[in-house]
Amino acid sequence: MKSLSAMPSWTMPALGAALVALGFVADPRLGAILAVWLGAWGLNAVMASRGRGAGVRFLVPLLFGATLLGLWEMAVRLYEISPIILPAPSVIAATFAENTPTLWADFRQTILKGALSGYVIGCGAAFLTAVAIDRSPFLQRGLLPVGNFIAALPIVGTAPILVMWFGFGWQSKAAVVIAMVFFPMLVNCVQGMKASEAMQRDLMHTYAANYWQSFLKLRLPTAMPFIFNGLKICTTLALIGAIVAEFFGSPVVGMGFRIKIEVGRLSMDMVWASITVAAMAGTAFYGLVAVVERRLTFWHPSQRTG
Amino acid sequence: MAAQTPTSKPAPVSPVIEARGLDLTFQTADGPVQALRDVNLTIDKGDFVSFIGPSGCGKTTLLRVIAALEHPTGGSITVNGMTPDAARRSRAYGYVFQAAGLYPWRTIEKNVKLPLEIMGFDRAEQENRAKDVLQLVDLEGFGKKFPWQLSGGMQQRASIARALAFDADLLLMDEPFGALDEIVRDHLNEQLLALWKRTEKTIGFVTHSIPEAVYLSTRIVVMSPRPGRITDVIESDLPAERPLDIRDTPEFLAIAHRVREGLRAGHAYED
Amino acid sequence: MSATADTAAGGGIGALGRGLGRVSGAVLPVLTVVACIVVLWYVAAIGMNRAWTLDAAQRQGVELTAGEIIADAMRQDRPVLPAPHQVAAELWNTTMGEPILRERRGEYRPNPRSLFFHAWQTLAPTLMGFVIGGLAGILLAVGIVHNRAMDLSVMPWAIASQTIPILAIAPMIIVVLNSIGLEGLIPKSLISAYLSFFPVVVGMVKGLRSPGAMDLDLLRTYSASGAETFWKLRLPASVPFLFASLKVGIAAALVGTIVAELPTGARFGLGARLLTGSYYGQTIQIWSALFMAAICAAALVATLSFVERVTLRRMGLDR
C-alpha cells in the first residue's frame, strides 16, 4: 500500500489506458467494454478522493451500479449473448413493463399473503415466547443453545413437508416463513431481555418496582436494539422462505411459481423481471424495518454515530 | 460512638441505621470470602457518614446491605427501625451508583420522574417534584435534553436529582464522583454539602478519596479488608460552614492524618 | 452467558462436585428442552397420523382400541408426521445399512441408495464454493478497507445484497449454467460461493475496521506502513469477526446448494432426496434427508467453531 501511494498520480490512468489498448488489439468489443469499465472506475476514484459530502456517498455506489448495468448491456449486445442465457437489462425492463399485472399478482400472493403474514405471526410468537421464558433462567439456559442450533439449520428444507400439511395455498408458505423466522427471532429477543445491566436492575430493586414495572420501563427498551436486529434478519428469511416454498407446490400465482415455470420455458427475461421484483421487495421491506428502528432506538450509540 | 456534634441538633429519637455484629460471607468458587466481619455501627438522623477503605474492605458491601441489595449471613441490622427489605419496600432511601445509569431513551426530566412513576405519584406531583429537584442540583433548563448530550458531571447530578425526587430521608451514595475529574469533583462536593445542609437528609457515602471523605462528613468510618471490618470511626469536629479552602487548614489535615493512620493500621498500604 | 464461576481451584471431591454441578447446570436444561421436544413430537405424530388409521379402520368396519390406534400411528409407511424412531431407523438404514459403493457391471460405482452418497453430493460443492467465496470475500474486504473508491461503491451493494432473497434465484442460475453446458459440481459451487461471499465481505470489513483510533495512532507513531498496519493490527483484530461470518456463510452455502438442487430435477444430493420424497409421498424419506442436512450443517458449523477456538486460543483472544 505504501509503495502504491508513493507512485506518481499518472501511473494508474496510464496503466488503464494500456489495458484498454491491449483489449482493443485483442478484440474491439473487449476494448470497448474495458474502456467503459475503467473509465467509470476512474471517475469513481476521482469522486471518492475529492468529494466528502453526502452527495458523493450517494453518487459513487449509484455510478458503480449503473456501470455494471451498462457493462452488462454492452456485453450482451456486442457479444450477441443468447437471451436464453442472459437477457440485456433493457429487455428485462421492457418485460417488466409489459407484465406488470402478472408480477403484481405474484407479489401480492408471495410477499403480502405468504411472507408478511408468516413474518408477523412468526416474529410475534417468538417475542411472546421470549417474554414467557424470561422469568425462568432454567428454560433460557436450555432454549438458547437449542434455538441457536435450529436457527443455523436448513429450515427451508421443511418446505415440502409443510406444503404437504397445509396444502398449496399461501398458508403453507406462511408456515414455512414462521418455521424460518421463529428461532432466529427468539434467540435475538432472549439476548435482548438479558442485556440490561446488573446496576440498572439493582436500581429498580431499590425502588421496590414489581416485575412488570421493571420489564416495561427498563428491560423492554434495553432489548429494542436486539429485537430490531432480529426483525431485520427475519425480513430476508421471510422472503426466501415464501419464494422457495412455492417451488414445492403452489397455485398458478406467486413469485416462486413464476420463476419455476418461466425457467422451464426458458423465458429468462421474465425470470429476471421476477428477480427484480424480489430484490426491490426485499430492500423495501428491510428499509421499512430500519426506518422504524431508527425512530424507536434513536438513543442507541449505533444509531447516533455516522 | 454517638458523641454529640458541635452544632445544636435535637437528640435523635432512634438511630436511622443500626448494625450489630454484622457478618457477611460470600461463597465463591475459590472458597468462602468474608466480606464483612463483626460490623457495629450506628448512624443518626442528619449524619453525613463516609465509608473509606481500599478495595475489598467491604464498604460497598455494607452500603448494599443497608439498601437490601445484599443479605447478611450473621448479626443484625435495622434501617428506620425495620429490616432493610421492609425499609426498601417503604421506599425509605435513594441510592446513587458509581455510574449515572440514566436511561438513554428518556430525557433528563423523564429520568428523574422514573422512581415517581413506579411509586405511583400522580402526574402533577411528578411534574412539580422533577422541577424542584432539578433546580436543587442546578440542572434547570436541561430537562428536555438526553443523557448523552450532557457531560459526565451533569449526568451524575441528574442521577442525584433522581435519588432525591421521592423525598426519602436516607441517601446512599456509592462512589458517585469516582469517574469524574478532580475539578468537577470539587465542585460537586461543594454542591452536595450545600444540598445536605438544605435538605437535612442522612447520607451514607462510600469513597476512596481521603480529602473527599474528610471534607464532606460529620463522621468517617475507616474500613480494611481481609476480612472486611471497621478499623476506626472518626468524629469530625470541622465547622458546619466548609468552603473548599478548609482543606488546607491544620484541623482538616489532622483528621486526614488520622484517617491515613487508620488505613495503615488496616494494612491498606501493603500488598 | 450464565454467571457460573470459572475454574474450580480446590482439589479433590469438592472440585469434582462443583465441576459436575457446572456441567449439569449447562447440559441439564438443554437435555430437558430436547426431551420435551421429543415428547411433544410423539404426541403430535399420534395426533396427526391417527386420522388415516381411523379412516382405514372405518372402511374395514373394524373398531380399534386406543392402544392399537397409537401403535399403528407410529408404524405407518407414509405417515403425515413420522415418529422419531421411524426417522432414526430410516437414517440408520440409509447410512450404515447401505454400502457407499456397490458393484455395477463389473466396477464400483456410488450407491444412490446411500444417504452418505447424497450428502456428499451436496457437501462437495458446498465446501468448494465456501472456500472460493470465503477467499474472494476476504480479498474484497481488504480492498474495500484500503481503497476509498471501492469502499464507497461496493459496500452499499454488499449490504443491500443481504436484503435480497438471493437464495430464491439459486435454481435459476443452475438452469442457465446447465444450458451452456456447465453441469454438476461447478454451478452448485458458484451458488455456494456467492452465498458465502457477502456475509464474509461484510463481516471481514467490520473486523478490519474494528481497531480503535488509539491503536491506529500507536502504529502511526512507529511510522508503520499500510501493509505493516494490516498484518500486525487489522488482520489479527479481524479474526473473531471473520469466524463469525464464516459460520453464517457456510450455513448459507449449504442451504444454497440444497435449494439449487430443487427445480432442476436433480437426481443426486440432499435437495434431490427432499424433492423425490415429496413427489412420491415418502414422508419418512423427506424427514431423514432433512435430518441429514441438519447433521451436515451442525457438523460444518461445529468444525468451524473448533477451528475458531483453537485459533483464538493460540492468539490469546479466547475468553
Side-chain angles (χ1 to χ4, degrees), chain C:
Chain C
M1 219 181 287
S2 65
T4 46
D6 281 313
T7 52
I13 305 290
L16 182 64
R18 278 194 294 273
L20 276 178
R22 231 181 334 119
V23 166
S24 67
V27 169
L28 194 61
V30 177
L31 283 179
T32 319
V33 171
V34 172
C36 286
I37 293 178
V38 172
V39 166
L40 283 170
W41 186 346
Y42 267 109
V43 170
I46 298 170
M48 295 179 83
N49 292 338
R50 66 177 188 159
W52 191 89
T53 313
L54 289 172
D55 242 7
Q58 200 182 41
R59 269 185 273 122
Q60 290 175 354
V62 174
E63 283 286 322
L64 294 175
T65 66
E68 285 172 335
I69 296 177
I70 291 178
D72 188 69
M74 306 221 271
R75 274 186 298 134
Q76 293 176 6
D77 259 346
R78 293 170 180 219
V80 176
L81 177 63
H85 63 268
Q86 286 183 299
V87 178
E90 169 82 2
L91 262 176
W92 181 262
N93 289 338
T94 50
T95 52
M96 301 308 194
E98 292 275 350
I100 299 183
L101 299 172
R102 63 176 182 186
E103 220 188 319
R104 268 275 183 282
R105 292 189 281 265
E107 52 177 67
Y108 276 101
R109 290 237 188 88
N111 179 2
R113 277 218 281 264
S114 161
L115 202 56
F116 277 145
F117 165 68
H118 288 287
W120 179 245
Q121 288 293 90
T122 305
L123 276 177
T126 304
L127 289 171
M128 190 162 121
F130 173 69
V131 168
I132 297 173
L135 283 174
I138 295 175
L139 286 174
L140 188 66
V142 173
I144 286 177
V145 166
H146 288 99
N147 182 316
R148 196 175 147 76
M150 276 186 86
D151 175 15
L152 288 181
S153 46
V154 176
M155 264 316 265
W157 290 105
I159 297 176
S161 74
Q162 292 193 306
T163 71
I164 301 172
I166 300 174
L167 204 63
I169 64 173
M172 177 216 78
I173 298 179
I174 298 285
V175 170
V176 169
L177 292 174
N178 281 352
S179 67
I180 59 170
L182 280 173
E183 287 194 336
L185 191 62
I186 309 264
K188 290 204 265 186
S189 309
L190 280 176
I191 304 254
S192 144
Y194 190 73
L195 284 170
S196 40
F197 174 74
F198 279 112
V200 171
V201 169
V202 173
M204 196 63 180
V205 166
K206 204 152 73 137
L208 289 171
R209 289 201 173 135
S210 62
M214 200 171 69
D215 300 306
L216 292 168
D217 279 345
L218 182 67
L219 285 182
R220 215 168 283 149
T221 70
Y222 298 155
S223 296
S225 68
E228 283 171 334
T229 311
F230 173 77
W231 289 106
K232 289 192 193 300
L233 176 62
R234 289 193 193 272
L235 195 58
S238 68
V239 171
F241 293 85
L242 176 64
F243 275 109
S245 53
L246 282 179
K247 284 191 269 196
V248 171
I250 203 165
L254 180 64
V255 181
T257 315
I258 293 177
V259 170
E261 292 169 356
L262 297 177
T264 59
R267 283 185 306 136
F268 304 128
L270 291 173
R273 287 287 283 190
L274 282 176
L275 206 61
T276 52
S278 86
Y279 278 163
Y280 298 119
Q282 297 284 1
T283 44
I284 307 185
Q285 182 181 324
I286 297 178
W287 278 87
S288 70
L290 199 59
F291 263 79
M292 192 50 159
I295 294 172
C296 289
L300 288 171
V301 174
T303 314
L304 271 178
S305 289
F306 176 72
V307 174
E308 174 184 25
R309 232 195 342 227
V310 167
T311 313
L312 288 185
R313 193 169 300 161
R314 284 207 59 193
M315 293 174 70
L317 277 177
D318 65 341
R319 272 180 267 158

